[in-house]
Amino acid sequence: MTIKDTPEEWEVRGTATPFKGNKTSVRTDDVVMPDGSVVRRDYQVHPGSVAVLALDEEDRVLLINQYRHPVRHKLWEIPAGLLDVPGENPLHAAQRELYEEAHVKAEDWRVLTDVYTTPGGCDEAVRIFLARDLSEAEGERFETEHEETDMQYARVPVDELVRLILAGDVHNNCLVVGVLALVAARGGEGLDALRPADAPWPARPFSA
């Protein structure tokens, strides 16, 4: 048996979109099950996201602290954002988010991992990049708004982040997955064996 996720699409007898928001929507599909029954499934339709695990020369990860209203928490996270343009190159989006949220640029980019955040209720796909060789970006800082106006910043050693993750002190999906994937990659073939930054991403196809 080969352990690898594979694309598959079951028959949909009917579909509706009862809610459309600014960036996402909710879809209701009537899906045919293997036994022939039809079951209604509601899920959030999401454009996709990118996240950046930015690692500095002192083996620290760049973090931001931001209020997240759905969970009523201020969470420590890695820079991340939506794929605002259909077909947008995720690397370009990640570079934009690192600049806008942290005013940082990076010279070395790799794909750390790709994930579906909550596949039981949302079709969001996230590509998490590893960014190294960091420096401050040129020009004026990006003007923030809404929750981003209250952000705090920190650089935390990788070993300390692993401890915080396992202690249940930090909860952001991309931070947890990114840090543990980083540690796993180091213990395997090494960071230079990670996929290139322009590796194909079937979940969100893009042009060069």
Side-chain angles (χ1 to χ4, degrees):
M1 180 183 296
T2 300
I3 304 299
K4 182 177 181 179
D5 295 341
T6 55
E8 182 167 318
E9 188 167 350
W10 292 0
E11 180 186 354
V12 175
R13 292 276 175 86
T15 187
T17 305
F19 170 79
K20 289 186 177 180
N22 185 33
K23 295 292 186 179
T24 67
S25 60
V26 173
R27 182 177 296 163
T28 298
D29 288 343
D30 294 327
V31 186
V32 180
M33 297 289 110
D35 64 359
S37 62
V38 178
V39 176
R40 180 156 291 178
R41 293 288 179 257
D42 302 317
Y43 58 99
Q44 183 184 21
V45 178
H46 194 286
S49 307
V50 292
V52 185
L53 193 146
L55 188 67
D56 70 15
E57 68 282 354
E58 297 181 39
D59 206 41
R60 300 176 303 175
V61 176
L62 189 157
L63 301 183
I64 59 176
N65 186 247
Q66 187 172 349
Y67 176 65
R68 295 300 189 182
H69 187 70
V71 295
R72 307 314 198 262
H73 270 72
K74 289 193 75 173
L75 299 180
W76 285 103
E77 307 178 349
I78 56 177
L82 298 176
L83 290 168
D84 293 313
V85 181
E88 180 180 16
N89 187 314
L91 173 60
H92 299 166
Q95 291 169 331
R96 180 185 69 239
E97 293 299 332
L98 185 60
Y99 162 72
E100 291 182 356
E101 294 195 345
H103 201 66
V104 167
K105 65 178 181 178
E107 299 301 324
D108 186 280
W109 291 81
R110 308 282 173 133
V111 174
L112 192 51
T113 190
D114 300 323
V115 295
Y116 290 115
T117 54
T118 49
C122 179
D123 72 351
E124 181 184 16
V126 180
R127 169 156 281 187
I128 304 176
F129 289 91
L130 172 65
R132 294 179 291 176
D133 193 4
L134 309 181
S135 60
E136 185 174 356
E138 296 90 357
E140 298 293 325
R141 294 190 70 94
F142 182 78
E143 188 173 341
T144 58
E145 60 180 1
H146 306 309
E147 290 92 343
E148 294 178 347
T149 59
D150 192 37
M151 286 196 305
Q152 296 174 287
Y153 303 86
R155 296 197 181 200
V156 181
V158 172
D159 289 346
E160 174 65 7
L161 280 174
V162 172
R163 187 192 69 78
L164 293 171
I165 290 167
L166 298 180
D169 291 332
V170 292
H171 306 87
N172 174 261
N173 181 289
C174 292
L175 170 60
V176 171
V177 172
V179 168
L180 297 184
L182 172 71
V183 173
R186 283 176 166 173
E189 297 181 4
L191 300 184
D192 289 337
L194 290 169
R195 286 174 290 163
D198 61 353
W201 189 17
R204 293 294 185 274
F206 60 93
S207 54

